[in-house]
Amino acid sequence: MSISTVITAAGKNSRMRNDQISRGIELTNKLILPFNNKTVIETTIDNALSLNIDECIVVLGHYASEIKEAIFDNYKDKVKFIENNPVDVGLSTSLFNGLSNTDSDFALCITADQPTVSSHTFENMIDVIQNCEDPYRTISILRRRKTGLLDTAEGLGMPFVAPRENLMGYLENEDDNLNPLLRKIFDDGYTFYGIKEKNEKELLNINHYDDYLKLLD
């Protein structure tokens, strides 16, 4: 069973930019803000690279040149960077483009603005897939409400582990946020298994500047 990681890092960064403007702070993409002696995106990548995975793919889009300038030299031999073309696409398209650049059986799908999700939590997600009865009909996902077997996909998003080809079938020709597609997969009878976070900060994405400050605390 081969597993690749796909990290999406292609967003518009609009909420963070608006916060920085309103605070009079220098405009800096949230993914290259300092975090744990590195940057947000480097911390996320390092957490993924610490796992026993076959490949790590980072999907860039908006601000690709700014992000690559900050991190490319440190990761060019460890990570496959791909860029959305066109740039202005939804998260589902970014994820599809990443999945299209690997042939692994399964994919650990992460957003780059989740630097606090630990390798321990990722390993728990992978363990569920490796030990369940039907891995090709199972999604292992960071819980938002309940843990264990889930009775809804409401409110769910990344990170999660899923069968790559099956997931691509849902993502193809879609240009949307992820939750509607996860709900569709759930309605088609896939088993969703919610993984408990190691600590509450793992449940927070960095969308606003206050989110960033909260994770630094």
Side-chain angles (χ1 to χ4, degrees), residues 48-67:
L49 291 175
S50 70
L51 305 169
N52 183 23
I53 55 172
D54 295 277
E55 188 173 33
C56 183
I57 294 168
V58 173
V59 184
L60 302 172
H62 294 278
Y63 306 102
S65 58
E66 185 178 345
I67 295 169

Side-chain angles (χ1 to χ4, degrees), residues 90-108:
L91 179 56
S92 60
T93 300
S94 292
L95 190 53
F96 181 84
N97 290 343
L99 294 168
S100 300
N101 278 271
T102 181
D103 57 5
S104 291
D105 301 318
F106 292 85
L108 168 62

